[in-house]
Amino acid sequence: EPEVTQTPSHQVTQMGQEVILRCVPISNHLYFYWYRQILGQKVEFLVSFYNNEISEKSEIFDDQFSVERPDGSNFTLKIRSTKLEDSAMYFCASIGVGAYEQYFGPGTRLTVT
Amino acid sequence: AQSVTQLGSHVSVSEGALVLLRCNYSSSVPPYLFWYVQYPNQGLQLLLKYTTGATLVKGINGFEAEFKKSETSFHLTKPSAHMSDAAEYFCAVTHTGTASKLTFGTGTRLQVTL
């Protein structure tokens, strides 16, 4: 069964450093998302992406964040200068055309020290 | 704007007992509703969904949920809990039309005891 994959599973970085989180959505899906979950809190929407541009973004998704689909398979989330409060689990999700359910990857746990 | 309220951050049931996890939503347009399950250190797995049609929907692992528009609810049930059901459960809502963002509730941690 096709699945969304994410790498790395765990990333530790120092405050102020740039990180790139990678996702490979399900191959025939066209809509992509990033969500985050701070430890013990609910899952929060960050950004949605379709046709090589951002469809919607939340207030969390400020200028420090960017997304990119550099090729036909990868979808990345970049945080330019990480802060302590960026420590969270980051989930990538994708959805097929005409479908309603989003399929989530296993997540990347980002720890900022 | 949409929102989801999950009553009870922790629910404990005995193995074999009924599982009832509550979810109420708020949406200005017809909602699409979902339940996801998260096992420890894992991602989110879709349990079931309601889009249109039959209001009682069945999902994986014996779970089902009923959409009640008059009560703005989408409670998750399972007749008989199993130890393997211990996990965090999230209710989520999006509005009609594909590709919309999901708005999640705060989650309910289900504990199953012997």
Side-chain angles (χ1 to χ4, degrees):
Chain A
E1 184 177 335
E3 58 183 19
V4 177
T5 60
Q6 291 185 243
T7 54
S9 57
H10 192 191
Q11 173 100 40
V12 181
T13 189
Q14 290 188 329
M15 195 167 50
Q17 295 297 303
E18 174 184 286
V19 295
I20 298 175
L21 310 183
R22 291 181 167 80
C23 168
V24 178
I26 295 173
S27 62
N28 61 345
H29 286 187
L30 296 178
Y31 299 89
F32 315 115
Y33 308 82
W34 284 101
Y35 294 82
R36 80 173 184 188
Q37 183 183 30
I38 295 172
L39 188 63
Q41 298 185 25
K42 67 178 178 179
V43 178
E44 302 173 290
F45 168 76
L46 291 177
V47 66
S48 59
F49 190 86
Y50 171 71
N51 199 26
N52 282 319
E53 61 182 27
I54 291 174
S55 308
E56 186 178 1
K57 60 182 181 180
S58 71
E59 294 174 351
I60 304 167
F61 195 87
D62 60 23
D63 292 345
Q64 292 299 313
F65 292 89
S66 62
V67 289
E68 189 179 32
R69 186 153 165 83
D71 53 42
S73 59
N74 290 282
F75 178 51
T76 62
L77 174 69
K78 181 194 292 186
I79 308 175
R80 290 190 181 81
S81 179
T82 51
K83 306 171 191 171
L84 294 175
E85 53 265 37
D86 293 328
S87 295
M89 181 75 91
Y90 288 80
F91 293 106
C92 174
S94 68
I95 190 170
V97 175
Y100 305 105
E101 61 271 26
Q102 295 182 21
Y103 289 89
F104 284 77
T108 293
R109 181 168 297 283
L110 177 65
T111 302
V112 183
T113 61
Chain B
Q2 305 159 96
S3 65
V4 174
T5 301
Q6 291 185 241
L7 289 177
S9 58
H10 289 84
V11 170
S12 182
V13 300
S14 301
E15 191 173 36
L18 172 71
V19 175
L20 171 60
L21 305 184
R22 299 179 186 276
C23 172
N24 288 88
Y25 69 91
S26 172
S27 178
S28 57
V29 296
Y32 287 173
L33 295 156
F34 306 83
W35 277 98
Y36 284 86
V37 60
Q38 184 180 34
Y39 297 102
N41 300 314
Q42 294 189 29
L44 298 165
Q45 181 181 7
L46 180 68
L47 267 181
L48 49 79
K49 67 179 187 288
Y50 168 78
T51 53
T52 57
T55 56
L56 181 64
V57 293
K58 297 184 184 299
I60 61 172
N61 301 337
F63 284 94
E64 61 182 36
E66 186 171 11
F67 170 62
K68 292 186 177 181
K69 184 178 178 181
S70 62
E71 299 177 9
T72 61
S73 68
F74 191 57
H75 302 330
L76 182 70
T77 59
K78 181 175 180 177
S80 177
H82 191 272
M83 295 295 289
S84 60
D85 295 327
E88 185 106 24
Y89 292 80
F90 292 94
C91 182
V93 65
T94 187
H95 58 73
T96 51
T98 61
S100 303
K101 68 179 183 184
L102 288 170
T103 299
F104 284 86
T106 50
T108 298
R109 183 167 299 279
L110 176 66
Q111 180 182 19
V112 182
T113 59
L114 289 172

